[in-house]
Amino acid sequence: MALITLRQLLDHAAENSYAVPAFNINNMEQGLSILKAAQSVDAPVIIQASRGARTYAGDIMLNHMVKALAEMYPSIPICMHQDHGNNEATCFSAIKHGFTSVMMDGSLLADMKTPSTYEYNVEITSKVTESAHHVGASVEGELGVLGSLETGEAGEEDGSGAEGKLDHDQLLTDPDQAADFVSKTRVDALAIACGTSHGAYKFSRKPDGDILAMSVIEKIHSKIPDTHLVMHGSSSVPQYLQDLINQNGGEMPQTYGVPVEEIERGIRSGVRKVNIDTDCRMAMTGQFRKIATETPNEFDPRKFLIPAMKEMEDLCRDRFERFGTSGNASKIIVQPMEEMARQYSTGELNPKTLN
Ligand code: G3H
Ligand code: 13P
Ligand code: ZN
C-alpha cells in the first residue's frame, strides 16, 4: 500500500471523531512494535522521525524501513512524518526521502532553542506549506512554545525545546492568533501549546487545569473547528513504567505525564494527532533493565529486545484503543501524493482548514 499523507489521515480522523497517536521511531524494533499493535486492532499509523532519529538511523535506512513495514503490513495505512523540522532544508530533504508529511516548527528559530517572532513563524511555515503542497505532502505548523506552566521551562530531555524562562503568553497558544496563523500559512494541522513539554518530567503533581490548560484547546477549537489540532509532549509517563524502571535499578524521580483521560478530552475538541515518544522509550528501557536484573548472564540482544518490543506494542495498542484509532485502517482508501497535489492545486483541499 502507498504511504498515506497526514492530511488525508487526519481528515478521516476528524470525520469519524478519533485521533491518531504519532509515535517516534529510531530503529526497526520500534517500527515493528507499532505496526504489530496497529495490525492487531486495525489502526492507521503515524510514524515520525526527529532530526535526531534521522541522524541516528540515516535517511536511507528510515526510508527503506518504512517501505518494508508497509510491505509487511499492507492493510495498515502508514504516514511517515518529520517531527520538529527546524528549517526548509530539513523539511524538503525529508520529503525527498519518502516522508509524506513534515512539521515545520517555526515557534523556535532554526537552533530549536530560541523562541521566534510570530512574523518569522508565519513566513517560514508558509514557504514550506506552499512547496510541500505542490508535491502533495502535508504540513504541520506550531504556534506557541512547549514548556511547563509550573516552572516556565521546557523539559530537560528535549530533542527540541526553548532555553531560558518563558512566560504564560508564550506557553499558551492564543486562539485568535491561531486562526490568523492557519489562514495565512495554510497548514494541514496545527500544534498548540497548553502546558505540556517533551520528556518524562512534565509535571511535579498530577496535572489540573492550572498546569495543563486543556481549556485553551477548547477555545482554539471553537475558533477554528475544522483545523486538525496536534498535542505534543503527550506521553502519560505511566506509573507502572516508572516502577518497572525503578524496581530494576533505575533512578527516575517521581514524575507525572499527561493523563490519557485529558487527551481523550482534547480529542473531543479537535485534537487529531497525539505525539508520543517518551512512553515508548520507557516501555523498552524498563524491559531492558528487567532482563538485565533477572538474568545478569544474558548477552543475546534479542533476549532484551523481544520483551521490550512486547512492552511497547502493548502501550501502542492501548493508545490506539483509547484514542478511537482502532477499527479505522480498513475504512481508508489511501490517496497517493500525486492526487493530494492535484487537490491542493485545484483548491479542493486548502479551504477546509481555513474555516
Ligand atoms: O521532539 C522530541 C522527540 O521526543 C524526539 O526526541 O530528538 O531525542 O529524537 P529526539
Ligand atoms: P513526549 O516526550 O511526551 O513523548 O512527546 C513527544 C513529542 O512531542 C515529539 O514531538
Ligand atoms: Zn514534539
Side-chain angles (χ1 to χ4, degrees):
M1 183 187 276
L3 298 185
I4 193 169
T5 61
L6 186 71
R7 175 61 186 270
Q8 195 202 342
L9 181 49
L10 298 193
D11 279 355
H12 188 268
E15 279 152 25
N16 296 280
S17 307
Y18 67 93
V20 187
F23 296 115
N24 287 71
I25 60 160
N26 294 271
N27 57 39
M28 175 188 85
E29 285 78 9
Q30 291 171 311
L32 287 172
S33 305
I34 297 162
L35 266 296
K36 274 185 196 162
Q39 172 99 318
S40 71
V41 294
D42 187 36
V45 157
I46 302 170
I47 288 178
Q48 56 187 9
S50 65
R51 287 189 299 140
R54 287 176 64 187
T55 305
Y56 175 80
D59 285 336
I60 294 172
M61 178 64 79
L62 285 174
N63 182 3
H64 285 268
M65 197 169 88
V66 172
K67 284 188 189 143
L69 290 170
E71 195 179 330
M72 289 168 74
Y73 296 92
S75 64
I76 303 298
I78 302 175
C79 168
M80 183 61 188
H81 178 76
Q82 166 76 56
D83 192 23
H84 293 284
N86 63 327
N87 59 23
E88 299 97 315
T90 298
C91 293
F92 299 141
S93 64
I95 294 170
K96 193 176 130 213
H97 285 99
F99 288 54
T100 56
S101 177
V102 294
M103 175 184 193
M104 177 57 240
D105 182 356
S107 70
L108 301 172
L109 296 181
D111 64 5
M112 286 280 114
K113 290 180 192 326
T114 314
S116 68
T117 62
Y118 181 67
E119 291 69 31
Y120 168 90
N121 196 355
V122 168
E123 192 187 335
I124 195 162
T125 307
S126 307
K127 261 195 216 162
V128 170
T129 305
E130 195 186 349
S131 302
H133 285 180
H134 281 309
V135 292
S138 318
V139 179
E140 172 186 337
E142 175 165 324
L143 185 63
V145 181
L146 291 193
S148 162
L149 294 168
E150 281 184 280
T151 63
E153 285 165 7
E156 274 174 27
E157 298 172 18
D158 280 357
S160 67
E163 261 178 9
K165 288 269 180 193
L166 302 160
D167 59 41
H168 278 208
D169 282 355
Q170 294 171 291
L171 291 168
L172 295 172
T173 303
D174 176 75
D176 290 316
Q177 207 174 46
D180 187 61
F181 185 79
V182 168
S183 84
K184 284 189 171 132
T185 60
R186 305 170 82 84
V187 287
D188 300 285
L190 179 69
I192 49 78
C194 63
T196 67
S197 48
H198 293 132
Y201 304 102
K202 300 180 195 303
F203 305 109
S204 66
R205 58 184 162 91
K206 188 171 188 289
D208 56 21
D210 289 342
I211 54 177
L212 176 59
M214 297 305 293
S215 58
V216 165
I217 297 184
E218 288 159 0
K219 284 186 197 127
I220 297 168
H221 182 56
S222 69
K223 290 261 173 209
I224 42 174
D226 292 336
T227 297
H228 306 314
L229 303 180
V230 182
M231 275 178 78
H232 280 247
S234 289
S235 277
S236 300
V237 198
Q239 191 61 49
Y240 76 92
L241 290 178
Q242 294 183 52
D243 293 344
L244 182 66
I245 290 170
N246 287 339
Q247 282 158 11
N248 291 286
E251 292 186 1
M252 282 186 74
Q254 178 64 45
T255 181
Y256 298 86
V258 183
V260 176
E261 57 272 19
E262 296 295 341
I263 297 170
E264 289 169 325
R265 180 175 162 193
I267 295 169
R268 292 193 288 276
S269 291
V271 170
R272 301 290 161 229
K273 174 173 180 278
V274 181
N275 283 16
I276 297 175
D277 187 357
T278 298
D279 283 353
C280 298
R281 294 179 180 191
M282 288 177 69
M284 293 198 110
T285 303
Q287 284 298 334
F288 295 157
R289 285 192 170 278
K290 183 165 186 278
I291 303 303
T293 306
E294 288 175 357
T295 47
N297 61 342
E298 186 54 68
F299 57 84
D300 178 349
R302 292 170 300 184
K303 295 284 176 9
F304 295 81
L305 287 164
I306 291 167
M309 283 194 277
K310 174 75 173 56
E311 192 73 53
M312 178 165 160
E313 181 188 334
D314 290 347
L315 184 123
C316 294
R317 187 183 304 102
D318 178 79
R319 299 303 184 268
F320 286 133
E321 287 178 339
R322 298 281 299 266
F323 300 169
T325 334
S326 300
N328 283 295
S330 52
K331 294 184 188 149
I332 300 171
I333 299 163
V334 174
Q335 306 274 7
M337 278 172 70
E338 294 72 26
E339 171 57 15
M340 299 300 285
R342 190 197 64 74
Q343 292 184 20
Y344 285 120
S345 73
T346 58
E348 282 164 69
L349 270 176
N350 266 326
K352 211 164 173 294
T353 55
L354 298 181
N355 305 293

